[in-house]
Amino acid sequence: MDVTFYLIELLRLHDCVIVPDLGGFVTNYRPAEMDLASNSFNPPVKEIIFTGKLSKNDGLLVHYISEVEGIGYIEARQIISEFVSEVWSKLENGEKIEFQNIGSLHFDRNEKLIFEPDVHENFLLEAYGMEGFQFPQLEWKEILPSKRVFNNKDAVRSVAGS
């Protein structure tokens, strides 16, 4: 069973999802930004990083799989263990592991675990459906106030006693 589907759902709702004995996927909020150099606007996003230092089971993923699949905690833990064993086996054989819509894991030549996030996926629910866009170059035009020209006219005289 591919645990990636459950990871995606949990990453939309939580800032950190730990895959026991593998590592933690952590999301960080980045606000919307406007780049005047490239005339582009990018919506806010929840960027994702991976850290192998968070590998202790916090129960979130196991409980979620157990609940969604209608299975016991031990069965859900076994599903995750098999998934993690398969991931480590592939990584140790030099393969790159793709977590669809999340990113990929692989070892570099110094045997350091590298995570490359999928930059097309935004886990921020508030930004659902928003995409970046280009806009025309903004131009600054100084508007000078027009000069009013007054013509000399005779003063208006009131007619008293009329």
Side-chain angles (χ1 to χ4, degrees), residues 7-8 11-12 27 46 48 101-102 121-125:
L7 283 173
I8 291 169
L11 285 168
R12 291 191 203 301
T27 60
K46 264 174 71 172
I48 189 165
N101 297 329
I102 295 175
E121 186 68 24
N122 187 353
F123 293 97
L124 185 64
L125 288 177

Side-chain angles (χ1 to χ4, degrees), residues 48-160:
I48 189 165
I49 61 169
F50 175 83
T51 178
K53 294 179 181 179
L54 297 174
S55 63
K56 297 270 189 229
N57 183 12
D58 66 351
L60 178 66
L61 181 60
V62 178
H63 177 73
Y64 187 71
I65 292 173
S66 173
E67 189 175 283
V68 170
E69 294 295 325
I71 59 177
Y73 183 89
I74 294 173
E75 286 179 84
R77 182 70 174 103
Q78 184 61 36
I79 289 170
I80 294 170
S81 293
E82 290 171 6
F83 173 77
V84 169
S85 293
E86 184 180 333
V87 167
W88 279 118
S89 175
K90 289 180 178 180
L91 286 170
E92 289 167 355
N93 288 328
E95 293 181 47
K96 187 175 193 175
I97 306 299
E98 295 286 337
F99 298 101
Q100 187 175 358
N101 297 329
I102 295 175
S104 63
L105 280 174
H106 67 276
F107 282 115
D108 67 3
R109 60 184 119 137
N110 298 321
E111 295 187 22
K112 181 180 177 192
L113 194 56
I114 304 295
F115 175 71
E116 295 172 4
D118 181 345
V119 295
H120 302 301
E121 186 68 24
N122 187 353
F123 293 97
L124 185 64
L125 288 177
E126 291 83 4
Y128 182 77
M130 292 183 185
E131 293 183 9
F133 60 88
Q134 298 286 127
F135 53 86
Q137 183 172 2
L138 301 176
E139 294 181 21
W140 174 262
K141 292 183 181 178
E142 189 172 340
I143 299 174
L144 299 174
S146 61
K147 293 183 181 179
R148 295 183 180 222
V149 178
F150 295 99
N151 294 332
N152 286 334
K153 295 182 180 181
D154 291 336
V156 177
R157 293 189 178 116
S158 66
V159 181

